[in-house]
Amino acid sequence: MRFNIILFSWLSIYSVEGQSSDSDKIDSVFNYNIVVLDMFQKDPHTDSTGASVRAVYTLEQMTGIISNGRITFFGKVGFDADDLCKWRAWYAKNKGDLLWDPKYKIVRRKVS
């Protein structure tokens, strides 16, 4: 079941190219990563796909807020409910400071 949800969410990320605005693309990337972390919130160590590690990395890069997970060879493993709250609050307040990079198909923060 988790695999199907991750696959559907992953496919929706790749479909952002067909969306009309950059803000839609940014919303899709943020929401995908939050959904992934919501699925693994109780036990991130059950993630055999590495999706939660990539989601934590992406949200840290988007927001500049570092999670409380531990660093491993594969990346940061784990996060807590406080991290999710901080990322959601930051995004609600600062999503206008994010840019879609069409060359690399990633979200970047505006440089001040």
Side-chain angles (χ1 to χ4, degrees), residues 3-4 16 18 26 33-36 43-44 51-52 64 79 85 92 96 99 105:
F3 177 74
N4 290 338
V16 297
I26 292 167
N33 288 292
I34 290 294
V35 166
V36 167
D43 189 5
S52 66
F79 55 93
C85 289
L99 301 170
K105 299 179 183 170

Side-chain angles (χ1 to χ4, degrees), residues 38-87:
D38 280 339
M39 287 189 310
F40 295 109
Q41 186 171 3
K42 288 186 180 179
D43 189 5
H45 301 288
T46 61
D47 177 14
S48 61
T49 65
S52 66
V53 172
R54 288 187 301 275
V56 166
Y57 175 79
T58 300
L59 290 171
E60 286 180 342
Q61 295 299 307
M62 283 177 74
T63 66
I65 298 170
I66 304 302
S67 78
N68 291 316
R70 65 183 173 84
I71 299 172
T72 68
F73 176 77
F74 301 104
K76 187 146 317 166
V77 175
F79 55 93
D80 57 31
D82 188 46
D83 294 330
L84 289 173
C85 289
K86 287 178 185 177
W87 286 324

